[in-house]
Amino acid sequence: MNTQQDEKSSQQEETNTIGKEERQQMVDLGAATVKTDQGTVYILTIIGQIEGHQVLPENTKATKYEHVLPLLASMEEKDDIDGILILLNTVGGDIEAGLAIAELISGMKKPTVSLVLGGGHSIGVPLAVSAKVSMIVPSASMTIHPVRMNGTVIAAPQTFHYFERIQERIIRFVSKNSSISEERFKELMLNTDELASDVGSVLYGTEAVELGLIDRIGNLSDALECLHDMIEKEK
């Protein structure tokens, strides 16, 4: 009798621990694991500003790459995770941190679907296209613009060459992971007619799909249905 009670107590403690871990992930990372008969989906949100090597102010909503990178690596290895849904609403941020996350997502074997909600601006564009299937709601927008740098900039030819090389990395990645050509994406990046006080382009849901940047228009139910279909095919 005592043995049965001990087993029940142990199982209850384990359940409580798992529940606490999931709640903590929701608070710290805006992430959640959803288990259904169709499979287990890990939901990851990429919001606010992508934080790089420098810590952003406390009043700034940010996605920390040192949290996301090991998290994605562990999700790829976990047998109980069947697919990953990435929800995006970001203004952009650190280029190298954003590209690091995007490269990790694009290199995953597990089914991945991204959904752009609100905005997927700047380095959010490579993040959006990094999933195996990318989707966007009609009201969402995506800003494509040249590389910028904060702080002191040395006005020398080498600096501008460095900027060009960074831009080429972004252009190649986006073209490789979407249906838009490098030439067309660069045109959008250097467009001078779209923004009043800046260079670049703003695309809304349907435009992003028509240009081949995003795969399709969709909402949350569409993204989940697509992910479950991919999971079913994998099984």
Side-chain angles (χ1 to χ4, degrees):
M1 190 72 175
N2 289 336
T3 303
Q4 290 179 343
Q5 289 178 345
D6 289 343
E7 287 179 356
K8 286 183 180 179
S9 178
S10 177
Q11 289 174 355
Q12 186 64 42
E13 285 180 8
E14 186 177 347
T15 302
N16 290 338
T17 301
I18 293 171
K20 286 179 181 178
E21 288 177 357
E22 289 183 350
R23 287 194 295 272
Q24 195 60 43
Q25 276 197 343
M26 180 70 80
V27 172
D28 294 340
L29 305 171
T33 303
V34 180
K35 298 179 181 179
T36 67
D37 293 337
Q38 296 172 288
T40 302
V41 173
Y42 189 83
I43 301 172
L44 175 68
T45 57
I46 297 178
I47 61 166
Q49 198 164 334
I50 311 300
E51 187 178 86
H53 304 302
Q54 293 183 344
V55 179
L56 293 171
E58 290 184 2
N59 61 350
T60 302
K61 286 189 179 295
T63 297
K64 299 178 183 292
Y65 79 100
E66 70 270 24
H67 290 173
V68 178
L69 294 182
L71 182 65
L72 287 170
S74 66
M75 290 303 110
E76 176 76 345
E77 284 295 295
K78 283 189 174 182
D79 294 331
D80 57 342
I81 299 295
D82 299 307
I84 299 173
L85 174 64
I86 301 142
L87 303 179
L88 282 156
N89 186 13
T90 176
V91 296
D94 188 272
I95 292 172
E96 289 190 349
L99 276 179
I101 297 171
E103 287 282 9
L104 205 59
I105 295 171
S106 69
M108 298 181 80
K109 291 182 179 180
K110 286 190 176 177
T112 54
V113 174
S114 66
L115 179 61
V116 181
L117 302 157
H121 305 294
S122 191
I123 201 63
V125 176
L127 286 165
V129 304
S130 62
K132 288 181 173 58
V133 176
S134 59
M135 304 180 80
I136 186 170
V137 297
S139 62
S141 61
M142 305 182 80
T143 304
I144 303 167
H145 60 70
V147 171
R148 301 184 180 91
M149 183 177 289
N150 294 327
T152 303
V153 177
I154 300 173
Q158 291 88 338
T159 302
F160 298 107
H161 179 58
Y162 173 65
F163 280 11
E164 286 179 354
R165 293 182 67 185
I166 295 175
Q167 283 181 183
E168 288 302 318
R169 289 164 59 192
I170 296 169
I171 292 168
R172 282 197 298 268
F173 181 88
V174 171
S175 176
K176 180 183 175 182
N177 290 276
S178 69
S179 299
I180 196 169
S181 67
E182 291 187 15
E183 293 76 17
R184 184 66 179 119
F185 188 74
K186 191 170 185 178
E187 285 177 10
L188 293 168
M189 182 181 279
L190 301 177
N191 184 19
T192 58
D193 300 326
E194 179 80 18
L195 303 174
S197 59
D198 203 350
V199 177
S201 303
V202 179
L203 306 178
Y204 294 95
T206 304
E207 292 175 287
V209 174
E210 289 174 350
L211 287 166
L213 183 62
I214 299 296
D215 293 325
R216 55 182 100 156
I217 291 287
N219 53 32
L220 178 58
S221 60
D222 297 321
L224 285 170
E225 183 180 352
C226 175
L227 189 57
H228 286 308
D229 287 343
M230 293 168 69
I231 291 170
E232 184 63 29
K233 289 177 182 177
E234 285 286 323
K235 289 181 177 179

